[in-house]
Amino acid sequence: MKIYSIEFFCKNVLSMDNIKSIDDIKIDKNYKHYSIPKKNGTRTISYLEKTESLYKIQNDITNKILFDEPIPICVKGFVKQESYRSYLLPHVGNNYFLRIDIKDFFGSTNREHVIKMLDSIVLISNKKEKEILISFLSDVLTLNDCLP
């Protein structure tokens, strides 16, 4: 889904008909954290409880905007109905295949990457309004300037 105005975003993505300004939307970043052991130390996972308002906003953005964005067919990680098996099936019978994993994918996807992606989705002609919405969205989608 492409976004052509803040009003359209509030009404159709967030289902908030009564919002007059993006500033009226309260965002509490009440993330919880836990660590998991890795080969070379630990990895901290940040998550939101499903009851948090930010969880609902992120979920709406994912399901109503990002879900329809095309991704390369080779991408299998964190994609619904994909798995390591679905990655390997096209290569059955081949002698070689290449598997690439991006180290710390979420942590290495910073706010600037998110803003660049959002620039192709938010198509508001008014430059100031576009900047306001992209800033709001990048704030909602990141934690400490990267994907959580």
Side-chain angles (χ1 to χ4, degrees):
M1 172 189 294
K2 304 298 183 193
I3 305 298
Y4 297 95
S5 73
I6 290 176
E7 181 183 349
F8 175 88
F9 170 77
C10 291
K11 183 176 181 180
N12 295 290
V13 177
L14 302 181
S15 302
M16 296 178 174
D17 293 336
N18 57 344
I19 297 294
K20 300 296 180 209
S21 168
I22 207 89
D23 296 330
D24 294 339
I25 301 171
K26 188 172 181 339
I27 300 173
D28 290 322
K29 291 195 172 188
N30 294 327
Y31 282 89
K32 303 234 185 300
H33 309 278
Y34 68 92
S35 296
I36 57 172
K38 299 288 277 183
K39 281 188 227 176
N40 300 324
T42 61
R43 176 177 175 206
T44 301
I45 306 291
S46 301
Y47 68 98
L48 292 164
E49 298 283 348
K50 289 183 178 183
T51 56
E52 294 289 338
S53 60
L54 183 56
Y55 178 89
K56 183 194 178 314
I57 292 171
Q58 288 179 343
N59 202 44
D60 287 343
I61 292 167
T62 299
N63 292 331
K64 296 176 183 175
I65 299 175
L66 303 177
F67 188 75
D68 291 332
E69 287 300 304
I71 57 173
I73 61 169
C74 61
V75 174
K76 304 297 180 182
F78 298 96
V79 178
K80 287 183 182 177
Q81 300 177 340
E82 296 291 355
S83 66
Y84 195 67
R85 184 177 190 278
S86 68
Y87 160 73
L88 288 172
L89 280 174
H91 303 287
V92 170
N94 293 337
N95 291 328
Y96 305 100
F97 68 93
L98 176 64
R99 177 180 174 242
I100 298 174
D101 190 15
I102 299 172
K103 181 180 180 182
D104 191 23
F105 174 79
F106 293 101
S108 64
T109 305
N110 64 30
R111 182 182 296 267
E112 291 306 313
H113 292 117
V114 172
I115 288 171
K116 186 176 179 183
M117 181 273 305
L118 291 170
D119 191 56
S120 67
I121 294 171
V122 178
L123 303 177
I124 299 173
S125 57
N126 180 303
K127 187 177 179 180
K128 181 73 173 161
E129 190 177 336
K130 181 175 181 167
E131 288 173 0
I132 289 169
L133 184 55
I134 288 177
S135 176
F136 170 81
L137 288 168
S138 65
D139 189 45
V140 164
L141 297 172
T142 59
L143 174 66
N144 300 324
D145 289 329
C146 63
L147 292 179

